[in-house]
Structures are given as C-alpha cells and as structure tokens.
C-alpha cells in the first residue's frame, strides 16, 4: 500500500472530518502506528477517564469523530514518540498511566482542588511565564533558590502518593498547552520549555531534595513522557557534575539530550536563539518584567485571545475545554469545599484545525 493510500485509510480510521496538520505531517508508518494503537486500546477496553468536566482531548483523539489537537501531556502520540512508535510498548505505558491516574482520581482532583492549596503547591514547581518561545512553545521558569526544601517536603508528608504535586503538571496539560496550541499555526503544542535557575544553590539544598526529586522524576517520566522541548540551566554551581550524575540516572537519554547547561557568558546568546529577548525574564538576562511567583505575563497574541482574563488573572486550576460549540476557558477548583465551574472566556471554533484537509469516512 502506498503512502497516499495509507494516509487516506488512516484518516478514515482516525477521524472522519478535518484532520490537524500535525497528523498529516506524520509518516505513513507513524500514522499506521497511531491507527494500530487506537484499535489496541479499543479491543483491550482502555479508556481515558476524564472526570466530571466532559470530553477530554485524549478521548477525542482516540475515539472521537473529529480530531482537536495533541495539546495535552497525555496525548496518545506522545507515548508513541517516547517508545519510537513501537505500538505495544506505547500501549503498555499509556495503559499504565491511565491506571495510575484512575487510582489517584487525578482528573477529579484537578477539577475539585482547593484553590489556595493549588496555588501554594504550584509555587513549589516551575511556573508559566505567560510567554512562548520563537517556535510557540510555552516558556516555564523555575528558580530553585526561591523554593524552600522544607516547604516542598512538608507538602508531601500527608500525600504519600504525591497526588497534589502533579496538579501543576495538569495545569500545563489542561490549560497552558491547549491555549498555546490555539495560538500556534499547527494547532498543536505537546511541549514545554524550561529555564531553571540554580544560582546560589548549595550542596545541602540539593541533597535535602534529592530523594524527593528522584521520585518525582521517575513518575513524570513514566506518566508525562515527551513533554519537554528544551531545558536551559543557568547558574550551575561548582558541584553541578554531581547533580548531573543523578540527572542521568533519573531521566531517559532522550530527555537529558535536551538539557543545556549555560555559563553566564553564553546564556543570553543561546537563549535568544530560541526565545525573543522581550520574552526572557530579567533574571535570565532578558527584558520581561516577570519573576518566579508572579502570575503569567501574557504576550500580545495571548492577551487578545483571552480578553478579560489577561486583565484580571484567575487563581487556581483552569481548563481549556474544546467541544462542538467552540473553545472555552473554564475555572475549576473549590473554595471552602464549594466547587466552581465558570466559563471565563468563550472562543469560537477549533484552534489549529486545517479545515482544507478533510477526509471522508
């Protein structure tokens, strides 16, 4: 079967209407793998539970009649990439993630999370600056000196499964990435970019976090694969070779290959190759008036898209919902046990769908 025939057949299997360009860019073999993974999930009754908010991108991606965009950290294609498009290996990792999420009730936890707890937990992990790289990848920053090891360890004492610490990851996959996908010409944004500042970090600071970071990294690699575009490390201390040995143990080679450790002399030159100076925070040598702990400082395109939300940021978990009536930004979470679910912004249509590429079932 030639590649055109496979593309047509795969499009019918994967969805009967408009197909986003990130799928048409797949090779014939990769598209066949995606079709095979869909069939395997169906025959094995592996379904993505999405909580009470309605359809999730992954369900639509696997079972829906229409594709949206691969903009969640749990998109099926991400598992295929992580396993070099080996379907069985991807299926095993994907189904393990589904079981893990269901055991923790992670989707419902995100929808019902106490807002104050959500905010305090989020400020122990990388935060979205509100900006994107030159390629449209959302830019996060993490300033380790501003994170107290005591606070981080205390946040998990009553949470041995580390459920709460994955709320920030859900914020990325359920809000930030689909929002940035809407702004991206390809209609997809499966990646994140990180600037990590280690300036002033001492041996004791790192050592106190070592076991905790190892457990987090292991779980993130297993359940949020292929989420990183690039990681830039600034202010590496003299003992960084020791840290690097641990990093190589904790993460797979395809992730460590995306990490760049930059000296003060080369940081600006390298960062500006990937990020406009106006989108680089001042602490990293750029012009952006943003620092760790602040709300996102959105770029102009994002401001125009989200409207009033840019003027008055809403704390707590947010969700980018896509359905036949259009895209919406919804506030979730709870205040003193009272769950909120309010549409903050309504956007017509689908982000990034190439309507000219239609395939009939």
């Amino acid at each position: 079967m030639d590649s055109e025939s496979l593309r047509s057949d795969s499009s019918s299997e994967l969805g009967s209407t408009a197909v986003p360009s990130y799928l048409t860019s797949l090779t014939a073999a990769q598209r066949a793998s995606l079709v095979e993974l869909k069939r395997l999930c169906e025959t094995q009754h592996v379904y993505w539970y999405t909580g009470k908010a309605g359809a999730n991108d992954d369900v639509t991606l696997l079972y829906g009649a229409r594709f949206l965009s691969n903009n969640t950290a749990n998109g099926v294609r991400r598992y295929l990439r992580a396993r070099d498009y080996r379907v069985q290996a991807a299926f095993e990792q994907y189904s393990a993630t589904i079981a893990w999420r269901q055991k923790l009730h992670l989707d419902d936890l995100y929808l019902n999370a106490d807002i104050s707890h959500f905010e305090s937990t989020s400020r122990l992990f990388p935060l979205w600056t509100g900006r994107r790289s030159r390629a449209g990848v959302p830019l996060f920053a993490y300033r380790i000196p501003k994170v107290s090891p005591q606070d981080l360890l205390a946040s998990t004492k009553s949470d041995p499964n580390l459920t709460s610490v994955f709320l920030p990851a859900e914020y990325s996959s359920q809000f930030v990435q689909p929002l940035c996908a809407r702004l991206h010409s390809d209609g997809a944004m499966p990646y994140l970019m990180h600037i990590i500042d280690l300036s002033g970090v001492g041996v004791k600071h790192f050592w106190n976090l070592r076991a905790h970071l190892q457990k987090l990294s292991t779980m993130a690699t297993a359940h949020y694969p292929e989420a990183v575009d690039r990681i830039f490390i600034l202010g590496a201390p003299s003992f960084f070779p020791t840290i690097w040995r641990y990093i190589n143990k904790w993460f797979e080679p395809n992730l460590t290959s995306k990490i760049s450790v930059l000296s003060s002399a080369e940081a600006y030159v390298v960062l500006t190759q990937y990020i406009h100076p106006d989108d680089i925070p001042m602490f990293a040598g750029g012009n952006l008036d943003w620092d760790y702990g602040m709300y996102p400082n959105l770029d102009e395109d994002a401001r125009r898209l989200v409207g009033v939300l840019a003027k008055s940021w809403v704390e707590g978990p947010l969700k980018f919902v896509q359905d036949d009536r259009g895209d919406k930004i919804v506030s979730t979470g709870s205040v003193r046990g009272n769950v909120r679910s309010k549409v903050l912004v309504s956007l017509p249509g689908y982000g990034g769908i190439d309507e000219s590429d239609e395939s009939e079932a």
Side-chain angles (χ1 to χ4, degrees):
M1 181 179 290
D2 61 31
S3 59
E4 264 320 298
S5 298
L6 180 56
R7 174 181 171 179
S8 177
D9 291 348
S10 298
S11 296
S12 296
E13 291 286 348
L14 295 171
S16 59
T17 55
V19 180
S21 55
Y22 77 86
L23 286 175
T24 62
S25 66
L26 292 176
T27 67
Q30 290 169 344
R31 287 174 67 82
S33 294
L34 192 54
V35 170
E36 186 179 348
L37 179 56
K38 171 183 179 269
R39 288 173 176 160
L40 184 59
C41 288
E42 289 175 340
T43 57
Q44 297 297 316
H45 304 290
V46 173
Y47 299 96
W48 192 278
Y49 174 68
T50 61
K52 301 175 182 177
N56 173 282
D57 290 353
D58 296 300
V59 171
T60 308
L61 183 58
L62 277 170
Y63 309 108
R66 182 185 185 98
F67 274 105
L68 302 180
S69 56
N70 185 22
N71 50 25
T72 70
N74 309 293
V76 204
R77 186 185 169 210
R78 176 169 300 174
Y79 291 79
L80 284 168
R81 285 198 308 267
R83 294 294 168 251
D84 297 322
Y85 285 87
R86 291 179 288 116
V87 174
Q88 185 59 40
F91 172 76
E92 290 173 1
Q93 185 174 6
Y94 186 67
S95 57
T97 293
I98 292 175
W100 171 75
R101 294 177 66 89
Q102 291 178 350
K103 179 181 178 181
L104 299 182
H105 303 288
L106 193 53
D107 292 280
D108 284 336
L109 177 66
Y110 184 76
L111 296 175
N112 301 310
D114 178 80
I115 293 172
S116 62
H117 175 67
F118 178 90
E119 288 295 320
S120 61
T121 300
S122 296
R123 279 163 173 71
L124 298 173
F125 297 95
L127 296 173
W128 185 36
T129 63
R131 300 303 171 103
R132 297 169 291 148
S133 73
R134 295 183 187 273
V137 179
L139 177 64
F140 283 68
Y142 196 26
R143 303 199 70 184
I144 301 296
K146 289 181 172 286
V147 178
S148 165
Q150 291 73 26
D151 290 344
L152 186 56
L153 295 174
S155 71
T156 62
K157 279 188 176 180
S158 59
D159 183 17
N161 290 321
L162 300 182
T163 309
S164 296
V165 303
F166 285 97
L167 291 175
E170 293 299 301
Y171 188 81
S172 299
S173 65
Q174 297 201 37
F175 170 63
V176 177
Q177 287 174 289
L179 173 66
C180 291
R182 176 73 190 237
L183 294 166
H184 198 275
S185 60
D186 194 42
M189 185 44 60
Y191 300 116
L192 305 172
M193 182 177 287
H194 293 271
I195 296 176
I196 299 178
D197 178 23
L198 296 179
S199 303
V201 173
V203 175
K204 184 177 180 181
H205 193 119
F206 169 73
W207 197 256
N208 287 340
L209 295 176
R210 179 177 54 89
H212 186 74
L213 293 175
Q214 180 180 10
K215 187 173 183 180
L216 286 176
S217 62
T218 299
M219 297 175 72
T221 300
H223 304 303
Y224 297 89
E226 288 293 301
V228 172
D229 177 49
R230 290 182 179 274
I231 297 175
F232 299 104
I233 295 179
L234 311 180
S238 58
F239 63 92
F240 186 77
T242 301
I243 298 178
W244 186 250
R245 285 197 293 272
Y246 283 105
I247 290 174
N248 276 298
K249 291 178 181 178
W250 297 342
F251 296 105
E252 296 182 348
N254 63 340
L255 176 57
T256 57
S257 66
K258 300 174 182 178
I259 300 175
S260 298
V261 183
L262 307 179
S263 68
S264 57
E266 63 185 348
Y268 183 82
V269 174
V270 174
L271 288 176
T272 52
Q273 292 177 17
Y274 298 93
I275 313 165
H276 191 282
D278 291 344
D279 297 322
I280 299 174
M282 290 181 177
F283 77 82
N287 304 324
L288 179 62
D289 183 15
W290 182 93
D291 203 355
Y292 188 76
M294 297 173 64
Y295 294 141
N297 184 340
L298 302 183
D299 59 49
E300 288 304 314
D301 288 341
R303 284 177 176 272
R304 284 193 292 269
L305 182 64
V306 306
V308 295
L309 180 59
K311 298 178 182 178
S312 181
W313 197 256
V314 175
E315 291 189 337
L318 302 176
K319 188 174 180 68
F320 196 95
V321 179
Q322 298 168 302
D323 59 33
D324 291 334
R325 293 165 292 182
D327 300 342
K328 302 177 183 66
I329 298 175
V330 179
S331 61
T332 64
S334 63
V335 179
R336 293 186 293 276
N338 297 313
V339 178
R340 67 179 185 179
S341 181
K342 179 181 180 181
V343 176
L344 303 175
V345 181
S346 294
L347 305 167
Y350 289 86
I353 294 295
D354 182 2
E355 295 293 347
S356 64
D357 184 2
E358 296 188 356
S359 304
E360 296 299 327

